[in-house]
Amino acid sequence: MTAILGVSAFYHDSAAALVVDGRIAAAAQEERFTRIKHDAAFPTRAVAYCLEAAGLSPADVDYVVFYDKPLTKFERLLETYLAYAPAGFKSFRLAIPLWLKDKLHMRRMIREALGLGCRARLVFTDHHESHAASAFFPSPFDRAAILTLDGVGEWSTTTVGVGEGSRIDLLEHIAFPHSLGLLYSAFTYYCGFKVNSGEYKLMGLAPYGRPIYKDAILDRLMDLKPDGSFRLDMDYFQYCQGLTMTNARFDELFGGPPRSPESNLEQRHMDLAASIQWVTEEVVLRIGREAHRKTGANNLVMAGGVALNCVANGRLLREGPFDDIWIQPAAGDAGGALGGALFVWHQLLEKPREPHGRDSQQGSFLGPRFTNEEIGRFLAGQGVDAAPCETEAELCEQVAGHLADDKIVGWFHGRMEFGPRSLGARSIIGDPRSPAMQATMNLKIKFRESFRPFAPAVLRERASDWFEIDPEHESPYMLLVAPVREDRRTPIDAEALRTMQDDPDLRRRVNVVRSEVPAITHVDYSARLQTVDEERNPQFHRLIEAFERLTGCPILVNTSFNVRGEPIVCTPEDAYRCFLATDMDVLVLEDYVIVKDDAARKAGASVRERYLSQFQLD
C-alpha cells in the first residue's frame, strides 16, 4: 500500500487530501472543521479526518506533499518588494513575520503536525503543477489540453500544458504581476467585495450591467494579444507594493473611489462587473483557442481560482474549439492538496492511469459522513422526538411533498463535498417554480445580498429539455452556465422589461418572472447548472425524480447549507444550529425528517442575531 497525503495551507482555503494506491480516499477543507471561512491555518483537523477515514495513522503515510514551493514564493515576494522599494515597506513589514514564523519552516511544521511516528518523505510541488494535476489526473480523458488560471503561485499566474496517460507537461506560462485572477480581484475590491471571497458575487452582479468599460480596460489596463497572452499596466494597480488592489489612477479612470462594503450598489458597479466579466471571457476564449492550437487536443481540463468562473467556462464550451471540458470541482487552492498527491502517484512514482469514461472524483463527495445511529443519538440529546424513515422511497416522497408545498429544506446526506459548491450532500433546496423563492432564500435563509442568483440541480437526462446544453455534455459540479431554453421563458411586457433592465432596486429586477423556473433564472436568462446523475449522486437523483412525479419539474433550487460568512455545515450539529437560526422549514439528516414547529421558530428567532454574529460578512 502507498499512502500519499496532500496539504495546502497559508494563503486561503487550507485543505488536506489522501490518495491510497492511486484512489482518492478523502479530502476536505479545514474551514469545515474550524468553522472559520477560508481558514488559512495548517489543516490539522482536515489531515486527522483524512487519515481516520482511511483507517490510517501518520506512521502509515509514505509521502506528504505540500502544494507549492515556499522558498520560490518567498523569492518572488522579496524581488517584488525590492523592485517597488521603498513604496512597499508597510506591506513588507506586515507580511514578513508570518513568513519567518511559519511559511519558511514548512518541513518542521509538517513533521510536528504528524508527530514523531511519521517517517514520510516530504515533497514540494510547483503551485500550478498542483492545479494542473488536480485537473488532469481525475478527469475522464486520456489526453487533454490543460489550462490553469489563478491569482499567482510561485511566479506563474496562468499556464498552458498537456496531459497524456499518467504525465502532465506545462508548456507556457504568464508570470506575475500580470494575472487575470488579480485583475478580476482588483475589480472585486473596487466594487466593494472581499478579495478571494467576493469574486463570485461580482460574476453574479455582471448580468445587471452593460460592458461599457470593456474598451477602457483593454485600452488602458492591459495589452491583450490574439493568443490570449497579456501584460497589465501596473501604474493602475497597488497589489505589488500596497495594502489595496487599486490606486488613485484606477479611481480616476473609473469615476471615483472604491465602493464601501455593504453600501448601495450603483449602476456603475454593475457596468464595471459586466465589463470585467466580458474581458475575462474574452481572455479565456483566446487562451483556450491557443491551448487547442498548441496541443491539438480535443478535450480541455481546467483548475485555478479563475476556473470557478462558470460563465466563462460555459462560453468556452459552447464557442471554443474543444469537444468537452472537465473542471476540477475544488479548483482553488484547496484542490492543490489533491493535485499534489496525485502528481506524486502518477508523475513521480510513474503509476499508470486508466480513465474509463467517467472522472475519478467520486462526485467530489470525499468528506465526513454520519450514520443514522449517530444522528439519532444527537437528536435525542437535543430533545427532538423523531424517528427515521423506513425506506428511501418514503423519505424522498415525504421531502418532495414538502418542497412542492413551497417549503425550504435543509438536506444533509452522505459524505460532505470537497470544493466550494454544495452538490446535494450539504444543501438547502427549494421549488424553482416559486416566484418568491429567490428573495425568501436570500433574505430569510441565507441573509445575503438580494441580487444573487441560485443554481438549479437538474436531472442529467432532462437538462437539455430545460437549458441550452448539448445532451452529450454534463455539469455535475455546478461549473458551467447555460441559458434557460427559449421555450421555457415567460413573455415579458414592456413595463416589466424596463424594470428588469433599469430599476435601481435590484430586488424589483429579481422579482420579474422570466421563466417557468424563476427562482433559478438570472436576469439574463442564464443558470449555473448542476446536472445530477444516478451514478454519482443516487439519493439526490431519486429525490428530484420524486419531485418531478409530483410537479412535472425535474429541477430543484440548490444552494449551500450555511448562512452568509459561515462555512458550509459539516456535522449534524452544525446543520441543526443553522436550521434553528434561519427560516428553514424542514431539516433532513440522513433518514430523519424534522419539521419546524412554532416553538422551534420562536426559539430560533431569539438566537438568530447571536448565531449570525459569529460569522464575519464575506
Side-chain angles (χ1 to χ4, degrees), residues 234-346:
M234 298 310 297
D235 287 344
Y236 290 90
F237 301 96
Q238 190 84 358
Y239 55 77
C240 285
Q241 73 277 31
L243 300 176
T244 61
M245 295 296 294
T246 58
N247 59 20
R249 196 167 180 186
F250 191 101
D251 298 351
E252 186 180 347
L253 182 61
F254 295 112
R259 169 182 167 256
S260 299
E262 309 305 316
S263 62
N264 286 337
L265 283 161
E266 301 168 6
Q267 188 60 46
R268 182 170 67 96
H269 303 118
M270 303 170 209
D271 293 338
L272 284 164
S275 302
I276 189 59
Q277 181 62 33
W278 189 98
V279 170
T280 299
E281 292 169 24
E282 183 63 23
V283 175
V284 170
L285 279 167
R286 290 191 191 189
I287 297 179
R289 292 187 190 111
E290 180 65 8
H292 180 262
R293 189 190 68 77
K294 278 188 178 304
T295 65
N298 295 323
N299 298 308
L300 173 71
V301 297
M302 299 174 70
V306 179
L308 294 171
N309 193 309
C310 44
V311 182
N313 299 343
R315 276 196 68 192
L316 185 55
L317 180 61
R318 288 193 301 275
E319 303 172 31
F322 296 103
D323 294 341
D324 206 354
I325 298 175
W326 193 85
I327 304 149
Q328 165 57 236
D333 278 10
L338 176 60
L342 291 170
F343 185 87
V344 169
W345 176 255
H346 290 296

Side-chain angles (χ1 to χ4, degrees), residues 224-517:
L224 177 62
K225 303 296 186 188
D227 64 0
S229 61
F230 60 88
R231 293 181 65 83
L232 300 181
D233 185 339
M234 298 310 297
D235 287 344
Y236 290 90
F237 301 96
Q238 190 84 358
Y239 55 77
C240 285
Q241 73 277 31
L243 300 176
T244 61
M245 295 296 294
T246 58
N247 59 20
R249 196 167 180 186
F250 191 101
D251 298 351
E252 186 180 347
L253 182 61
F254 295 112
R259 169 182 167 256
S260 299
E262 309 305 316
S263 62
N264 286 337
L265 283 161
E266 301 168 6
Q267 188 60 46
R268 182 170 67 96
H269 303 118
M270 303 170 209
D271 293 338
L272 284 164
S275 302
I276 189 59
Q277 181 62 33
W278 189 98
V279 170
T280 299
E281 292 169 24
E282 183 63 23
V283 175
V284 170
L285 279 167
R286 290 191 191 189
I287 297 179
R289 292 187 190 111
E290 180 65 8
H292 180 262
R293 189 190 68 77
K294 278 188 178 304
T295 65
N298 295 323
N299 298 308
L300 173 71
V301 297
M302 299 174 70
V306 179
L308 294 171
N309 193 309
C310 44
V311 182
N313 299 343
R315 276 196 68 192
L316 185 55
L317 180 61
R318 288 193 301 275
E319 303 172 31
F322 296 103
D323 294 341
D324 206 354
I325 298 175
W326 193 85
I327 304 149
Q328 165 57 236
D333 278 10
L338 176 60
L342 291 170
F343 185 87
V344 169
W345 176 255
H346 290 296
Q347 190 112 343
L348 300 187
L349 300 180
E350 300 182 337
K351 299 293 185 182
R353 173 176 167 270
E354 296 175 356
H356 44 77
R358 275 283 167 91
D359 66 60
S360 59
Q361 187 81 14
Q362 303 167 46
S364 220
F365 300 115
L366 300 168
R369 72 176 308 159
F370 297 85
T371 65
N372 274 320
E373 289 71 28
E374 289 171 310
I375 289 166
R377 284 196 296 274
F378 165 74
L379 291 175
Q382 299 298 312
V384 178
D385 183 18
C389 294
E390 293 188 359
T391 66
E392 184 186 87
E394 178 192 346
L395 174 75
C396 289
E397 294 296 336
Q398 192 180 145
V399 176
H402 287 305
L403 290 165
D405 287 342
D406 230 13
K407 305 298 185 190
I408 296 176
V409 177
W411 175 262
F412 182 105
H413 172 76
R415 297 186 74 176
M416 183 180 70
E417 301 90 343
F418 180 51
R421 306 283 183 243
S422 285
L423 301 170
R426 305 289 187 272
S427 291
I428 298 172
I429 52 180
D431 186 344
R433 302 168 304 155
S434 165
M437 185 59 67
Q438 181 175 11
T440 302
M441 275 197 173
N442 268 331
L443 301 176
K444 294 186 177 181
I445 308 293
K446 305 282 286 184
F447 302 101
R448 69 182 199 183
E449 301 90 337
S450 59
F451 69 84
R452 292 173 59 185
F454 287 107
V458 56
L459 294 177
R460 163 79 175 84
E461 58 274 24
R462 300 278 193 279
S464 60
D465 296 336
W466 289 77
F467 303 97
E468 292 178 13
I469 183 171
D470 190 311
E472 299 295 314
H473 292 142
E474 61 178 3
S475 179
Y477 303 114
M478 209 184 278
L479 287 169
L480 294 173
V481 159
V484 173
R485 279 176 56 128
E486 289 204 15
D487 58 355
R488 298 290 183 182
R489 299 178 188 178
T490 304
I492 296 178
D493 61 32
E495 185 177 348
L497 187 62
R498 277 194 298 277
T499 299
M500 199 164 80
Q501 292 177 340
D502 296 320
D503 198 303
D505 187 338
L506 295 186
R507 289 169 298 184
R508 285 201 284 269
R509 292 199 204 185
V510 165
N511 287 336
V512 174
V513 173
R514 299 171 291 279
S515 78
E516 296 175 41
V517 280

Side-chain angles (χ1 to χ4, degrees), residues 180-220:
L180 184 60
L182 291 175
L183 175 66
Y184 204 89
S185 290
F187 280 86
T188 302
Y189 161 80
Y190 187 74
C191 289
F193 303 117
K194 274 191 177 177
V195 171
N196 291 329
S197 174
E199 281 77 4
Y200 60 98
K201 296 184 187 181
L202 196 69
M203 184 177 69
L205 186 65
Y208 295 97
R210 302 173 184 88
I212 58 175
Y213 297 105
K214 65 181 173 63
D215 291 338
I217 296 171
L218 291 172
D219 293 343
R220 307 287 289 277

Side-chain angles (χ1 to χ4, degrees), residues 582-597:
T582 67
D583 281 337
M584 249 182 281
D585 302 297
V586 178
L587 174 64
V588 180
L589 294 172
E590 292 296 341
D591 292 344
Y592 287 85
V593 180
I594 301 138
V595 179
K596 190 177 283 179
D597 57 23

